[in-house]
Amino acid sequence: MRLGEIIVNTCATLLLISIVAIVFLLFGEPLWPQRTARMVIILPVDRSTTAAIKNTHQPLPASFDVSIVPARPANH
């Protein structure tokens, strides 16, 4: 190759790179989409609004009749 061809090829390459750069700067779109994180903020639990205020459970009896309890199903 001659020196003139090397200079012309270098100028053509620089011109092509500058045109591509100008196009990207004008339209402003990145090649890949920008990654964004979706953050969820979990607030602390307020015990006064979530805890049971009254005891709604009935106390269990001290003893019960085993004869009225249904039999355990057989495993197959």
Side-chain angles (χ1 to χ4, degrees), residues 21-29:
I22 288 171
V23 167
F24 279 124
L25 287 175
L26 286 178
F27 292 107
E29 294 289 328

Side-chain angles (χ1 to χ4, degrees), residues 12-26:
T13 304
L14 290 175
L15 180 65
L16 181 65
I17 289 173
S18 63
I19 289 173
V20 170
I22 288 171
V23 167
F24 279 124
L25 287 175
L26 286 178

Side-chain angles (χ1 to χ4, degrees), residues 1-55:
M1 290 177 74
R2 295 184 179 164
L3 182 60
E5 292 177 0
I6 294 173
I7 293 173
V8 169
N9 288 337
T10 304
C11 288
T13 304
L14 290 175
L15 180 65
L16 181 65
I17 289 173
S18 63
I19 289 173
V20 170
I22 288 171
V23 167
F24 279 124
L25 287 175
L26 286 178
F27 292 107
E29 294 289 328
L31 293 176
W32 292 275
Q34 186 177 9
R35 295 181 182 179
T36 57
R38 295 183 179 196
M39 297 178 67
V40 176
I41 299 173
I42 299 174
L43 299 174
V45 177
D46 186 12
R47 290 184 183 154
S48 64
T49 59
T50 58
I53 299 172
K54 295 182 192 176
N55 185 7

Side-chain angles (χ1 to χ4, degrees), residues 44-69:
V45 177
D46 186 12
R47 290 184 183 154
S48 64
T49 59
T50 58
I53 299 172
K54 295 182 192 176
N55 185 7
T56 58
H57 300 290
Q58 297 296 326
L60 294 174
S63 65
F64 56 94
D65 189 8
V66 181
S67 64
I68 61 172
V69 177

